[in-house]
Every structure is written in structure tokens, then in C-alpha cells.
Amino acid sequence: MFRFVVMGNMFCTELRIHRRFDLKGSSLGRSADNVEIDENTILKDLDLNYCFYLEPSWREALLRQIETDSKFLESQHIMDYSLLLGVHYRAPQHLRSLISYNQVDGLGSVAEEEEDEISSYPQGLVLVPRGTDDSVVVGPHIRGRRLRASSAGDEEVDLLLPGTARLQIQLGVNMPARAEQIPGKEEKMFHEAYDVVLYLGMIDILQDYNMSKKIEHAYKSLHFDSVSISAVEPTFYSQRFLEFIQKVFPQNSIKGLLS
């Protein structure tokens, strides 16, 4: 019996994907060390030194959907799946600049220290209620339900990127967020905080916990911490995966700008 899945390209977007992550929740071998990192590099769990703050209701909807999917895969005795995460950074040519935050319509907007840079590159992520405006860019995605925002009176919203586009926000598509450096992690790629737009979904969903994976688990457990390896039984894999994803998308802190 052969099984296959046809999936759309999650990164076929109007915006440029600056960083790509394949996240499993395991740590053994989960880094892209000793490679030259560019926009096409697939980074892994240990390379992720940022967490992403979403609007609270979006975070709840996202985590609920990921948990539902993960529990279904667990029931089918599937493991080794990943969350594929694409990140678009605003004004990427200024990533090394000193930045500060202002609040704009419930979302964080990055302000460069140099005034000339502010005028030369429009910035900020602004939520606007959905409408029939012709400027709305529909895009190629037919994936995920449209999301509502408390800052817009619980209406369905679009994302306005000044100087770029107006994009439909869906679960997993065109989701604005604030990226913050994880405390204690060495900064490798970006600054402490930044406006981002996220694209994400679960991939690699056909791997059974079969005999070869059981042998892999037994062998690697003799040499490494069994908690750190990818090849683990589906129930533990699902639990570990969900705990990791909750850390990638934490609840907004007191200083959060997406409340």
C-alpha cells in the first residue's frame, strides 16, 4: 500500500520569507551548524533564538489547531512531524540597527534610531477591519480560517503593511507577530525585537513509529539522552512537540504589545 499527500507551498506568498525553521521539539542534531545561512537555509530547533508573540485570541486558536492535529497524528501512530515556520521581517536591511517600540493599533511598530531611515523605509504592522477595498491582496492561499482581533472590536481583520500591501490574515497565513530574543540565548541573526509576519503549518505527517524507528530509538538511547532524540513513540512525541510549540508562541508578557 502506498500513501501520499499533496500539499500546497506554504511559502508561496506576497512577502519575502527571510528565515525558515523546521521545528520538532527535539534537540539531538537539531541545528544547522557549519553552514552558511541564507534565506533558503532550513534552520532547526536549536537555531531558533526567538519566540513569537501573537494576538491572544490568535495564539489560542493556533495552539488549539496544532494540538488537534498532533493528537490526530498520535492516534494514527505517526511521529517525526514538524512545524514548518516561515518568518518575514520588516525592513530587513536594518536588522542591525538599534530599535525601540511604539504601539500602533494594538501591534508593535519598529522605530529606527536614525530618523533618515524612518523616512526612507515605511514600517509598522497595522490591523484594519476587513472590507471590500480593492487594495486587499487575496494571495494564493486557501488555508486556515480568517481571524478576528479584539483591538478591532472582534472583527475579521486584514494586515496593512505601509508601503507594501494589505493582506488577509488567516490561521497560519499572513499572521503578524512580535519576535523577541529568548533570554539567555546568544543572538546570532537578529536584534532583540522585531515586527514579523508568520507563515506556518505541519509537515512530514506520514512517518509511522515502525520497526526501523523503534530500532533507531533503542540504538540512540544507548548513546544519548532519550528525551533529546527525534525517534520516540507517538504519545511522547506529541506531548514534547506541543510543549515546545507553546514555548515558541508564549503568552504575552506585561510589556506585550499584541494585547
Side-chain angles (χ1 to χ4, degrees), residues 32-166:
D33 291 339
N34 303 320
V35 299
E36 184 177 347
I37 295 176
D38 60 26
E39 293 180 3
N40 295 313
T41 303
I42 303 299
L43 300 167
K44 300 180 182 179
D45 303 64
L46 297 180
D47 302 311
L48 183 64
N49 60 338
Y50 274 70
C51 58
F52 301 96
Y53 289 93
L54 296 166
E55 200 270 349
S57 65
W58 301 354
R59 176 185 183 269
E60 180 182 352
L62 179 64
L63 294 183
R64 184 169 59 245
Q65 185 63 58
I66 292 176
E67 181 176 9
T68 299
D69 294 342
S70 182
K71 291 300 182 182
F72 171 76
L73 294 174
E74 177 188 335
S75 72
Q76 301 301 306
H77 218 53
I78 299 294
M79 42 76 67
D80 221 20
Y81 44 88
S82 306
L83 184 75
L84 185 62
L85 172 65
V87 185
H88 169 82
Y89 282 78
R90 292 295 286 157
Q93 68 269 41
H94 300 150
L95 284 172
R96 291 187 176 86
S97 299
L98 295 175
I99 61 177
S100 60
Y101 265 90
N102 296 315
Q103 187 165 351
V104 177
D105 288 354
L107 284 167
S109 113
V110 176
E112 301 286 346
E113 295 294 332
E114 298 82 7
E115 292 185 3
D116 59 332
E117 290 186 347
I118 296 177
S119 61
S120 66
Y121 195 99
Q123 298 173 4
L125 302 176
V126 182
L127 293 183
V128 292
R130 277 199 52 74
T132 57
D133 195 304
D134 292 336
S135 66
V136 174
V137 179
V138 176
H141 293 287
I142 309 175
R143 179 169 59 89
R145 63 184 180 278
R146 293 186 179 128
L147 295 174
R148 301 172 181 270
S150 57
S151 61
D154 200 35
E155 293 185 38
E156 291 181 352
V157 288
D158 294 331
L159 172 63
L160 180 65
L161 285 75
T164 304
R166 179 173 174 173

